[in-house]
Every structure is written in structure tokens, then in C-alpha cells.
């Protein structure tokens, strides 16, 4: 038999089973649950069982299914398999279930032995249904109770009138395609319809008003490009804002760089074009001027372009340069802030950025060196005991940074920390002092991205309970 991890998750309620024969073996409540899923598909349901529970008996009396009474044997099932599309086995005899499942698999007929994924060739997910809108949750047969719990959560957030909205959109689909042949145009109109009054009108059954709203959008439609500068946070997808998630689902094109990992990109619309512009130290797949030009070019071609940045776009993210270019080119844009690396990494490391007893200010600086390899920073304003200093992109220059801060007045034993790959499962926190941290970074083989935090707040570090993935 296959392991549960090898199963194919079938979604029978989504299949059009019109007049296809489906065999259900068992007459109790579990069998009734499966029959309930099958009825809307139009399948011809044959039910083999000596007895029926009241719900199944009612369906049999109404002619919804055909009841074949009597004890069930392997020979009975084998004789009924030719032409059968699916089989559900839900008797209270585990041994019988397994033997009947083996017969089905020998005949290459998909079979689900309920609550026995090891003897099934498909599984049925937990389903939430609002007419044509169906949401399925599957654990691959590993944890059916968990799937049902998740389904209950989904049921809480699906509006009752969602089926009316789906029916409205289905009926309007072909006329809309005739008026707007380009799929991108249609997608923009539908998104504006759902985001505006139209979606609510359709869900509440006000079909004529919804139709008028859609017509107004069609008459006023011009394909308009736009750029969205979005902060994706420091790495943990749980730190994405709701506004960021929405635009990630609406974008036609996404320009992203090295700090955006696959866990974040999983939230982008599946058919969006992904363009890596890989900004790493001294190695840019596309220089900043090229990125700016690409944003303008694509927006003027009518695309909704998402510029996805790690952290916040306006904190060492060069967002200011990009919006200046967009403004000069007359391209509309939106800015969605993100949780900065300083905020996110410090919080996940358990280091407060300010503290009433020791740090009344917090200073963000970048540790990028000049072309000659030196640092040109206002050391007198940085080397203050009453503040926390957070240094971005400073790992390479850490020895110079530490030496300069000591030279300009901070003690060699001043607390300092490195947060490597902050907020991700690979996060490491290394604490030390200005004198020791450079050697610790080498000894621990710390790599970018890493954030440096300097100040007495490091002494107040705690170990927080981090969010689960």
C-alpha cells in the first residue's frame, strides 16, 4: 500500500461526476458524510450495506441513491467495479474495509477507506462550501481532526452570501470577456468591483445594482499602471502587513531582491511575473538606475508593479530614489511600510531598542564603506552612552566600527550584539562587547544579513518565546 504522504488529494465535490457511478460501502453516519459530499456532483450513488442510518434511508426513499441491501463481500464489490469512478468504504469492520480496498486497488479504481490512509489511494479533504465557492483543507490523511478544526475556522470567515457573488461573477464572465478581450484588463475591473461597492451588492442579492456598478466600471475603465513600494519585513512571513499581502496578490509583476526569501514569495499571486534584481554587496543583478527605469517602463505599459523590499522601503531601502524617479516620470505609486530590520530583529532577539534606565534615543546608521574602504560617519554623535546604535550592513566593517567607537569615547567593554538572519528559523544572536564582537563574528562564521546593536540595552536582553512558523 502507499504511504499517506504519497496519496493524491482528490476533491470529489469539485469534480463533475454527472451520471458517473460512485460506490459507497457502509450505512452509518460516516458513510452519510461522504454521500452528502457526493450528492451535489450529480453522481449516481450506489450504497452497499445491510442497514441504513435515518439520513441515508431518507435519501434512498427520495431516490437520491440506490440502496443495495445485504452483507458485503469481496465478490460483490469486484462485480460492481467495472465503470465505477470512485469507491468510499466506511463500514465499522476494519478488516473488511482493508480487504475491500485491496480489491479496488487491484482493479485500479480509486478508493478511500475512511480514516485509513495507508489503505486508500485518495483522501477527501475537509470542505467549506458556499455554492460555487469551495475551500478544501487537507493534511494528506495525517490529521483529519486538525483539518476539520481548520475548516471550522474558515467557516467563520466566509460570508454567507458568497455564493451569490460567485453566481453573479459567473453570469457576467462571458459578457465581460466580449467587452474586454485582454485578461489583464478584466482582472483590474474585477478587482475594482470586489474592492468597491459591487462585491457587497452582489453578496447581499442586489443583482441589478451590482450589474450597474460593474457597467460603470467598464465604461470608465482605462488600463492604468502603478508602482507599489512595499516593505516585506525582516524575513518572517508572519510579519507581513495586511496591506502588503493584498498588493502581493494583486500585482502583475514583482521586482524583488536578495533579502526576500521563498517563504515571502509564496504569498505572491501565482501567475505574477517574478523578477530578481538581486542587490547584494558589490554585486547587483540590476543596478539601481536600471531598477528605476524598469519600474517606469512597466508601469507605463499598464502593469501593476510591486517593488518588494526587505524591512521598510524608506530605511536604507533606497525607496526615496525610486519615488523621485516615479514622480519625475508621472507614474502613480503607493508606499506600504514594513517592519524594519531594526525593530524585527531586536524584538526577536529580546533586545529592547530603548530603555528608561539607559537608552533615551535610538540611532539607525549604515555601515557601508566609501570606495577607499574607510567609514565617514559622525562618530561624536554616534559614540554616546545614552542611546542605542543599530548598524545596518556593517558586518564587513565591524572591526573598524568597533575601533572608531572606542576611539571616540565608548569603553571597550561596551555591550554589543550581532543578530544574524533575524526573525527567520536560522536566527542567531551573539552578544559581546565592542572589543570582543569582531573576533566573535569571525569565530562563529557570521554571514549577512546581520544587524549590529550597540548599547547598554544589550544587557537587558531576554529570550522571548518566538512565534511558531
Amino acid at each position: 500500500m502507499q504511504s499517506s504522504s504519497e496519496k493524491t488529494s482528490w476533491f470529489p465535490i469539485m469534480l463533475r461526476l454527472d451520471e458517473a457511478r460512485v460506490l459507497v460501502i457502509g450505512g452509518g453516519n460516516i458513510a452519510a458524510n461522504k454521500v452528502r459530499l457526493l450528492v451535489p456532483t450529480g453522481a449516481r450513488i450506489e450504497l452497499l450495506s445491510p442497514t441504513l442510518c435515518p439520513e441515508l434511508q431518507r435519501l434512498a426513499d427520495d431516490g437520491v441513491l440506490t440502496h443495495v441491501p445485504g452483507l458485503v463481500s469481496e465478490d460483490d464489490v469486484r462485480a460492481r467495479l467495472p465503470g465505477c469512478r470512485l469507491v468510499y468504504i466506511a463500514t465499522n469492520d476494519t478488516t473488511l474495509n482493508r480487504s475491500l480496498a485491496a480489491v479496488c486497488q487491484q482493479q485500479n479504481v480509486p478508493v478511500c477507506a475512511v480514516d485509513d490512509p495507508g489503505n486508500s489511494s485518495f483522501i477527501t479533504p475537509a470542505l467549506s462550501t458556499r455554492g460555487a465557492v469551495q475551500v478544501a483543507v487537507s493534511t494528506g490523511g495525517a490529521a483529519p481532526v486538525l483539518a476539520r478544526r481548520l475548516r471550522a475556522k474558515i467557516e467563520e470567515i466566509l460570508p454567507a452570501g458568497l455564493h451569490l457573488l460567485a453566481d453573479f461573477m459567473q453570469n457576467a464572465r462571458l459578457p465581460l470577456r466580449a467587452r474586454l478581450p485582454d485578461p489583464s484588463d478584466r482582472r483590474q475591473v474585477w478587482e475594482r468591483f470586489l474592492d468597491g461597492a459591487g462585491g457587497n451588492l452582489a453578496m447581499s442579492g442586489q443583482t441589478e445594482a451590482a450589474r450597474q456598478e460593474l457597467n460603470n466600471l467598464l465604461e470608465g475603465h482605462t488600463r492604468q499602471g502603478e508602482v507599489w513600494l512595499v516593505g516585506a519585513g525582516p524575513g518572517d512571513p508572519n510579519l507581513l502587513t495586511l496591506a502588503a499581502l493584498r498588493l502581493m496578490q494583486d500585482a502583475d509583476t514583482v521586482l524583488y531582491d536578495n533579502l526576500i526569501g521563498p517563504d515571502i514569495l509564496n504569498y505572491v499571486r501565482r501567475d505574477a511575473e517574478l523578477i530578481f534584481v538581486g542587490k547584494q554587496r558589490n554585486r547587483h543583478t540590476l543596478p539601481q538606475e536600471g531598477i528605476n527605469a524598469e519600474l517606469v517602463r512597466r508601469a507605463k505599459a499598464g502593469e501593476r508593479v510591486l517593488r518588494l523590499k526587505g524591512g521598510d522601503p524608506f530605511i536604507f531601502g533606497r525607496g526615496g530614489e525610486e519615488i523621485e524617479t516615479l514622480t519625475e516620470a508621472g507614474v502613480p505609486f503607493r508606499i506600504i511600510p514594513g517592519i524594519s530590520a531594526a525593530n524585527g530583529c531586536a524584538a526577536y532577539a529580546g533586545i529592547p531598542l530603548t530603555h528608561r534606565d539607559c537608552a533615551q534615543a535610538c540611532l539607525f546608521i549604515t555601515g557601508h564603506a566609501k570606495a577607499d574602504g574607510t567609514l565617514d560617519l559622525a562618530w561624536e554623535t554616534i559614540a554616546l552612552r545614552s542611546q542605542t546604535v543599530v548598524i545596518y550592513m556593517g558586518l564587513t566593517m565591524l572591526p573598524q566600527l568597533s575601533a572608531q567607537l572606542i576611539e571616540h569615547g565608548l569603553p571597550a567593554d561596551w555591550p554589543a550584539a550581532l543578530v544574524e538572519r533575524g526573525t527567520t528559523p536560522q536566527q542567531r544572536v551573539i552578544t559581546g562587547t565592542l572589543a570582543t564582537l569582531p573576533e566573535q563574528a569571525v569565530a562563529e562564521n557570521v554571514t549577512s544579513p546581520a544587524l549590529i546593536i550597540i548599547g547598554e540595552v544589550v544587557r537587558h536582553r531576554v529570550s522571548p518565546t518566538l512565534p511558531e512558523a
Side-chain angles (χ1 to χ4, degrees), residues 23-284:
L23 199 60
V24 179
I25 303 171
N29 291 328
I30 295 176
N33 290 339
K34 303 309 176 186
V35 169
R36 207 177 297 127
L37 294 176
L38 291 167
V39 168
T41 69
R44 287 190 293 122
I45 304 167
E46 294 180 8
L47 196 144
L48 280 61
S49 178
T51 59
L52 298 179
C53 69
E55 181 180 357
L56 290 176
Q57 186 61 61
R58 192 161 52 249
L59 292 173
D61 293 341
D62 293 341
V64 175
L65 58 84
T66 301
H67 177 212
V68 181
L71 296 174
V72 182
S73 68
E74 291 184 16
D75 290 339
D76 292 332
V77 171
R78 190 176 289 109
R80 293 183 177 278
L81 288 181
C84 187
R85 180 77 67 87
L86 299 173
V87 178
Y88 281 99
I89 303 176
T91 78
N92 57 7
D93 185 335
T94 302
T95 302
L96 177 62
N97 290 351
R98 291 179 177 177
S99 68
L100 298 181
V103 170
C104 295
Q105 298 211 39
Q106 289 165 8
Q107 300 296 319
N108 293 319
V109 177
V111 59
C112 174
V114 178
D115 287 336
D116 189 2
N119 289 283
S120 302
S121 56
F122 75 91
I123 55 176
T124 303
L127 292 159
S128 295
T129 305
R130 300 288 188 274
V133 180
Q134 296 158 343
V135 181
V137 179
S138 173
T139 61
V145 174
L146 174 60
R148 288 195 291 271
R149 283 292 180 90
L150 292 173
R151 176 201 167 205
K153 293 290 185 184
I154 292 170
E155 289 283 358
E156 293 175 7
I157 63 173
L158 291 182
L162 206 55
H163 65 291
L164 298 175
L165 175 58
D167 290 344
F168 176 89
M169 294 179 72
Q170 181 181 35
N171 293 332
R173 191 173 180 183
L174 290 179
L176 185 62
R177 182 182 297 174
R179 292 180 65 176
L180 288 179
D182 189 283
S184 295
D185 284 329
R186 294 198 300 273
R187 186 165 57 242
Q188 284 194 19
V189 168
W190 277 128
E191 286 170 357
R192 290 169 185 164
F193 177 82
L194 291 173
D195 293 339
N200 288 329
L201 289 170
M203 269 197 291
S204 62
Q206 300 180 64
T207 305
E208 192 53 45
R211 189 177 294 115
Q212 184 59 51
E213 183 69 19
L214 180 60
N215 191 58
N216 293 341
L217 290 172
L218 282 167
E219 290 179 353
H221 174 71
T222 55
R223 189 171 179 182
Q224 183 178 14
E226 190 175 3
V227 173
W228 305 325
L229 274 67
V230 174
D236 184 349
N238 291 307
L239 298 181
L240 286 167
T241 65
L242 294 176
L245 283 170
R246 178 174 169 182
L247 294 182
M248 289 165 76
Q249 284 295 305
D250 288 349
D252 299 311
T253 308
V254 180
L255 275 64
Y256 70 100
D257 57 35
N258 185 58
L259 295 178
I260 306 299
D263 289 342
I264 299 288
L265 292 176
N266 282 339
Y267 290 88
V268 173
R269 202 181 81 217
R270 294 294 180 211
D271 56 345
E273 182 181 358
L274 299 178
I275 302 170
F276 177 62
V277 293
K279 295 173 69 175
Q280 292 176 296
R281 184 176 178 269
N282 297 328
R283 189 179 66 188
H284 290 187

Side-chain angles (χ1 to χ4, degrees), residues 314-364:
F314 279 3
I315 299 180
F316 304 125
R318 305 188 76 169
E321 299 171 46
E322 291 171 353
I323 64 169
E324 286 173 358
T325 300
L326 296 171
T327 300
E328 291 172 4
V331 172
F333 61 86
R334 277 187 267 177
I335 302 161
I336 303 299
I339 292 177
S340 69
N343 288 98
C345 295
Y348 275 50
I351 300 173
L353 289 178
T354 62
H355 195 288
R356 183 175 61 178
D357 295 336
C358 59
Q360 290 76 49
C362 183
L363 182 64
F364 296 170

